């Protein structure tokens, strides 16, 4: 290989490494942090407010999708927000976009 070809090859390799590093960071940033909380016989709406108070995230949802008046109890010790929602609202999808957590009804019956 002559010198210009070697430089092109090195540039391609560096670009590939940079792209792979950037892509590998994206899934990690799409996960909500873990929280610790205990809530007994609270409404779903109260639970979501409690999670918001213990994290940088806010929730977006339609009342019809989450039944905000439903009473739930949960004890979470350093658990992911997704697992807490899955426990109390198994019929709800959790999608994280930036610092917003979108809650929607699962389609197709589960």
């Amino acid at each position: 290989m002559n010198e210009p070809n070697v430089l092109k090859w090195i540039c391609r390799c560096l670009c590939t490494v940079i792209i792979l590093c950037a892509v590998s960071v994206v899934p990690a940033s799409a996960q909500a942090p873990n929280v610790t909380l205990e809530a007994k016989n609270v409404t779903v709406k109260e639970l979501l407010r409690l999670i918001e108070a213990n994290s940088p995230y806010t929730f977006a949802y339609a009342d019809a999708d989450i039944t905000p008046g439903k009473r739930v109890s949960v004890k979470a010790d350093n658990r992911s927000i997704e697992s807490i929602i899955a426990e109390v609202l198994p019929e709800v999808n959790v999608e994280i976009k930036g610092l917003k957590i979108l809650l929607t009804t699962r389609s197709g019956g589960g």
Side-chain angles (χ1 to χ4, degrees):
M1 271 191 198
N2 60 26
E3 194 172 321
N5 287 339
V6 171
L7 289 175
K8 285 181 185 178
W9 181 80
I10 290 172
C11 285
R12 276 192 225 129
C13 288
L14 285 174
C15 287
T16 301
V17 169
I18 291 169
I19 289 169
L20 289 175
C21 288
V23 170
S24 67
V25 170
V26 172
S29 67
Q31 294 179 346
N34 291 350
V35 294
T36 298
L37 59 88
E38 185 170 354
K40 292 183 180 179
N41 196 32
V42 298
T43 65
V44 169
K45 194 168 201 166
E46 291 169 328
L47 177 63
L48 297 179
R49 285 186 186 144
L50 187 58
I51 293 171
E52 287 176 339
N54 287 285
S55 75
Y57 290 84
T58 57
F59 289 94
Y61 56 86
D63 284 355
D65 288 341
I66 67 159
T67 317
K70 175 183 173 184
R71 294 258 171 206
V72 297
S73 294
V74 65
K75 183 174 183 177
D77 185 25
N78 197 31
R79 281 181 48 200
S80 71
I81 293 172
E82 293 96 326
S83 73
I84 295 168
I85 299 301
E87 177 185 330
V88 299
L89 297 169
E91 69 282 359
V92 171
N93 282 326
V94 177
E95 183 180 353
I96 301 169
K97 291 190 175 191
L99 292 177
K100 184 74 70 176
I101 300 176
L102 306 174
L103 304 178
T104 56
T105 302
R106 290 186 193 270
S107 60

